[in-house]
Amino acid sequence: MAFRVEEATIAGIHAAYRSGDLSVAELVSRYLARIEAYDRNGPALNSVINVNPRAVEEAEALDKAFAEGGLTGPLHGIPVIVKDQIETADIITTFGSIAAKDYLPEKDATAIRLMREAGAIILAKTAMPDFATSWFGYCSAIGETRNPYDLERDPGGSSGGTGCAVAANLGAIGLGEDTGGSARLPASFDNLVGLKVTPGLISRAGMSPLVIFQDSAGPMCRTVTDTAKLLQVVAGFDPADPYTSTAVIAGNTDYVACLDKDALSGKTIGVLRTAFGDPSNPNAAVVNAVIEDALGALRDAGATLVDIEIPDLMDYIVYSSLYINHSRSAIDEFMASRPSLAAESVRALVDTKQYHPMLDLLEEIAEGPEDPYSDPEYYPRYTTSEKFRQVVTNEMGKAGAAALVFPTTQVQSPRRDDLNAGQWKTLEFPTNTLVGAQTWMPAISVPAGFTPEGVPVGMEILGLPYREGDLLALAYSFEQATQHRRAPASAPEIA
């Protein structure tokens, strides 16, 4: 049987290499053809900023290595789609900004190096809102990215380009970034698995920052198994990132071995009812309906569900937010450390109008303090995250819950026309991803089903810090019981 690129997994690709039905060069060429057919043309998804000009050459080298000794690593010949927030020494890295359109980093980010050492090919760099400052698919470098399930809707942000491309099968797996939900929100909108780890489990060296103690590279894949395999490669201590002390505490976990289709059986799962949207809002009501069905699937898989309420949840989310207080300083420091990067500061980007005009958060960040530590609100907001985490984990403890579940976002993916008309400011969008982000707890969004209009909905599973293995096990169990992942009709298999 001819190998199908659509919905291909790491295991399936490696099996095809071993059987001789596929070469790395053939696979790379087929993904490049899909980028041309569906991203540049056809539905014009507009998710890819730059492709790796040496991808075919690298593929041929891997084929030669395979012929001489088999797979070179756990990601041998796996084409990876990477958010353009993560530096690549041989591919221009724009951070989504027109001001950085010619920036070629001096070296790979640590996560990129680890993937290459595992045999991966960095196939393409994808669209993102300038310096990761939105939940939506606006990018001054290439414009607006479309949702492959409904071309009139948004794919999410800030890893929306990666979400769109992986969902449309323009690459095998993806690596995004998640500060407040930037991997999980587009995973929800694009019918993917998106993981936010305990901050520091994955090195951030070579990634542009936003809120440093929340930032993390985030695997974005079509299956939980591939998510675990990618995490296995990129997680670990890195002397270049002091926050990877987290990886030292977490230890050397075999994330793939943690996967268990029966993991939900006998577990108590807390349903965070405070995070559900207003049922009188039609856009929230359809999401609630999908999640209620998903809760039924959890019960059918053997879980006991307990409703949990945190009445002041929104107060914690609002007061532990540090984008306005922290991000200007973090981004400016990053720019200053890279003299060849044409962008000089957030303020300069806004003053010269070198940003997408829909990025209201970038404008607000430019008005934030140059020195966050001089801001009297900074430390009270920072310490609120610790209190927020205590509140959430104590509620889990009272219920005996292994995890909490809730809609990844309270509403379905917005229509582009509504966003263009100013329906949402970034910090007002009702995304529940901020719960995990601002408690510094790991969370994963998994496909939960579709609204009557065919719009994907994600369910978030929130776990305890350093327990990514347990989180992945629960996500895998839900995935195997439901199988909600399906490819979008906008990018079918090319004959």
Side-chain angles (χ1 to χ4, degrees):
M1 178 181 292
F3 180 82
R4 289 182 60 85
V5 170
E6 197 175 49
E7 300 300 283
T9 64
I10 294 172
I13 291 169
H14 283 170
Y17 290 159
R18 291 189 183 99
S19 69
D21 291 336
L22 183 71
S23 69
V24 183
E26 289 169 348
L27 181 61
V28 165
S29 295
R30 290 174 69 177
Y31 278 130
L32 291 175
R34 291 182 66 81
I35 291 172
E36 186 65 24
Y38 300 126
D39 205 64
R40 311 293 198 215
N41 296 288
L45 298 172
N46 202 38
S47 66
V48 172
I49 299 178
N50 288 300
V51 297
N52 181 353
R54 298 183 61 249
V56 173
E57 180 182 340
E58 292 175 14
E60 291 171 344
L62 283 167
D63 283 330
K64 181 179 179 182
F66 180 80
E68 295 172 349
L71 299 178
T72 60
L75 296 182
H76 176 97
I78 301 300
V80 185
I81 300 289
V82 176
K83 184 182 185 182
D84 213 20
Q85 186 174 353
I86 307 171
E87 292 182 317
T88 43
D90 53 355
I91 312 170
I92 287 174
T93 301
T94 71
F95 312 104
S97 171
I98 191 67
K101 63 183 177 63
D102 299 319
Y103 172 63
L104 191 65
E106 294 182 358
K107 62 180 181 179
D108 284 336
T110 298
I112 299 295
R113 174 180 59 79
L114 292 171
M115 289 191 294
R116 292 191 199 269
E117 289 175 354
I121 292 177
I122 309 305
L123 183 69
K125 305 294 291 298
T126 51
M128 56 181 283
D130 305 31
F131 290 95
T133 55
S134 180
W135 299 126
F136 311 121
Y138 294 107
C139 170
S140 71
I142 62 169
E144 300 169 4
T145 302
R146 310 174 84 178
N147 188 311
Y149 290 89
D150 183 339
L151 300 176
E152 302 307 314
R153 292 184 184 270
D154 191 83
S158 61
S159 305
T162 302
C164 172
V166 175
N169 289 278
L170 307 185
I173 58 175
L175 189 66
E177 184 277 342
D178 193 311
T179 297
S182 289
R184 290 164 290 147
L185 186 149
S188 176
F189 287 175
D190 300 322
N191 200 33
L192 296 175
V193 179
L195 176 65
K196 159 90 170 167
V197 298
T198 307
L201 186 65
I202 303 170
S203 174
R204 289 85 49 82
M207 293 171 43
S208 68
L210 198 57
V211 179
I212 292 172
F213 34 81
Q214 292 178 198
D215 297 338
S216 177
M220 301 175 70
C221 302
R222 294 184 291 270
T223 70
V224 176
T225 300
D226 282 358
T227 302
K229 289 181 177 180
L230 179 53
L231 178 61
Q232 191 72 41
V233 168
V234 296
F237 177 71
D238 178 15
D241 180 0
Y243 284 86
T244 55
S245 57
T246 293
V248 178
I249 298 169
N252 297 317
T253 302
D254 186 337
Y255 296 107
V256 179
C258 291
L259 304 182
D260 177 5
K261 67 181 180 62
D262 298 319
L264 284 165
S265 181
K267 294 292 194 308
T268 296
I269 303 295
V271 181
L272 185 56
R273 289 291 176 182
T274 326
F276 282 62
D278 183 349
S280 67
N281 176 352
N283 276 323
V286 292
V287 170
N288 290 347
V290 172
I291 298 300
E292 290 296 342
D293 287 345
L295 297 180
L298 291 172
R299 291 190 193 93
D300 291 344
T304 298
L305 303 188
V306 178
D307 283 354
I308 289 177
E309 300 279 350
I310 301 178
D312 45 4
L313 179 68
M314 186 51 65
D315 292 337
Y316 279 111
I317 288 173
V318 169
Y319 203 68
S320 60
S321 175
L322 279 164
Y323 293 103
I324 307 304
N325 310 74
H326 182 95
S327 298
R328 177 180 177 180
S329 171
I331 298 171
D332 285 357
E333 183 177 342
F334 179 82
M335 291 177 178
S337 70
R338 286 149 172 81
S340 61
L341 179 59
E344 297 177 0
S345 68
V346 178
R347 180 78 262 166
L349 292 178
V350 172
D351 287 346
T352 59
K353 300 189 183 303
Q354 292 188 89
Y355 69 103
H356 196 288
M358 293 300 296
L359 300 182
D360 59 277
L361 179 57
L362 184 68
E363 296 171 341
E364 293 182 67
I365 287 171
E367 299 297 328
E370 291 186 64
D371 176 13
Y373 307 109
S374 66
D375 182 350
E377 286 195 354
Y378 183 81
Y379 284 110
R381 285 180 175 274
Y382 180 89
T383 56
T384 296
S385 289
E386 173 65 27
K387 176 64 175 176
F388 192 7
R389 182 168 63 256
Q390 288 178 351
V391 168
V392 173
T393 54
N394 282 335
E395 290 300 324
M396 292 174 66
K398 292 173 190 176
L404 299 184
V405 296
F406 42 85
T408 304
T409 67
Q410 293 182 13
V411 297
Q412 62 183 335
S413 169
R415 295 186 182 278
R416 177 68 64 203
D417 287 348
D418 291 336
L419 288 176
N420 289 343
Q423 180 187 44
W424 297 108
K425 291 189 68 175
T426 300
L427 292 184
E428 295 173 357
F429 187 71
T431 176
N432 290 322
T433 56
L434 292 167
V435 178
Q438 292 171 204
T439 57
W440 309 333
M441 296 169 73
I444 190 167
S445 181
V446 290
F450 295 82
T451 70
E453 293 181 88
V455 179
V457 172
M459 180 180 74
E460 185 150 323
I461 309 174
L462 180 77
L464 295 170
Y466 317 110
R467 302 276 190 85
E468 279 75 9
D470 295 342
L471 192 64
L472 286 161
L474 296 174
Y476 179 77
S477 184
F478 177 77
E479 174 195 61
Q480 295 303 298
T482 56
Q483 300 292 333
H484 286 304
R485 169 64 201 174
R486 68 170 185 249
S490 64
E493 187 78 28
I494 297 176

